[in-house]
Amino acid sequence: QVQLVESGGGLVQAGDSLRLSCAVSGRTFSSGAMGWFRQAPGKEREFVAAITWSIGFTYYADSVKGRFTISREDAKNTVYLQMNSLKPEDTAVYYCAGRATAAPYIPGTRKELYSYWGQGTQVTVSS
């Protein structure tokens, strides 16, 4: 059974840092990609960051570029999202997602491309 288990969410203050983890079990995405999406109250689920497993190519939404870093650890089959300089507008439920196939330089930004999802973890940033 494929599972994506997230951890690391919580309540922090503006300017703080937080690291989210997504542990994958049941399969690997070595030929695909992993991504992070988020959904704030009353808004659509939006792309945050993604990484291809083959070469580790990363891509970020403009709103988080320079502040967030996505990375992978092959030995643990785990993907991380390091979030620095957090802002209140970063408050959302963050979802980890995986897709089985992706080109080395194209992780994909559309949620429809991802077949496997975590349960979501709440990140709240207070001012």
Side-chain angles (χ1 to χ4, degrees), residues 3 24 28 34 36 47 70 72 96 101 104-106 108 112-113 117-118 126:
Q3 289 189 316
V24 181
T28 66
M34 298 291 295
W36 288 95
F47 170 79
I70 187 171
R72 75 202 196 285
C96 176
T101 304
Y105 293 94
I106 310 176
E112 292 81 7
L113 296 173
W117 293 84
S126 63

Side-chain angles (χ1 to χ4, degrees), residues 94-112:
Y94 283 71
Y95 297 89
C96 176
R99 59 180 297 192
T101 304
Y105 293 94
I106 310 176
T109 62
R110 290 164 40 228
K111 58 181 181 293
E112 292 81 7

Side-chain angles (χ1 to χ4, degrees), residues 55-84:
I55 64 171
F57 183 84
T58 59
Y59 188 79
Y60 300 90
D62 289 341
S63 59
V64 306
K65 190 173 180 62
R67 298 188 299 120
F68 291 10
T69 302
I70 187 171
S71 62
R72 75 202 196 285
E73 190 169 358
D74 291 345
K76 295 184 177 180
N77 204 25
T78 299
V79 175
Y80 305 96
L81 184 67
Q82 178 67 46
M83 304 183 292
N84 297 328

Side-chain angles (χ1 to χ4, degrees), residues 6-125:
E6 298 161 310
S7 61
L11 173 64
V12 297
Q13 293 182 308
D16 285 352
S17 297
L18 201 62
R19 189 178 77 161
L20 305 182
S21 298
C22 176
V24 181
S25 62
R27 69 163 296 160
T28 66
F29 294 96
S30 59
S31 297
M34 298 291 295
W36 288 95
F37 295 77
R38 67 186 182 187
Q39 187 167 20
K43 296 184 178 181
E44 297 289 324
R45 188 172 301 183
E46 66 176 3
F47 170 79
V48 176
I51 184 170
T52 62
W53 277 99
S54 58
I55 64 171
F57 183 84
T58 59
Y59 188 79
Y60 300 90
D62 289 341
S63 59
V64 306
K65 190 173 180 62
R67 298 188 299 120
F68 291 10
T69 302
I70 187 171
S71 62
R72 75 202 196 285
E73 190 169 358
D74 291 345
K76 295 184 177 180
N77 204 25
T78 299
V79 175
Y80 305 96
L81 184 67
Q82 178 67 46
M83 304 183 292
N84 297 328
S85 301
L86 283 163
K87 306 174 181 179
E89 50 261 46
D90 294 319
T91 296
V93 177
Y94 283 71
Y95 297 89
C96 176
R99 59 180 297 192
T101 304
Y105 293 94
I106 310 176
T109 62
R110 290 164 40 228
K111 58 181 181 293
E112 292 81 7
L113 296 173
Y114 293 82
S115 299
Y116 303 92
W117 293 84
Q119 79 287 350
T121 185
Q122 178 70 46
V123 173
T124 302
V125 184

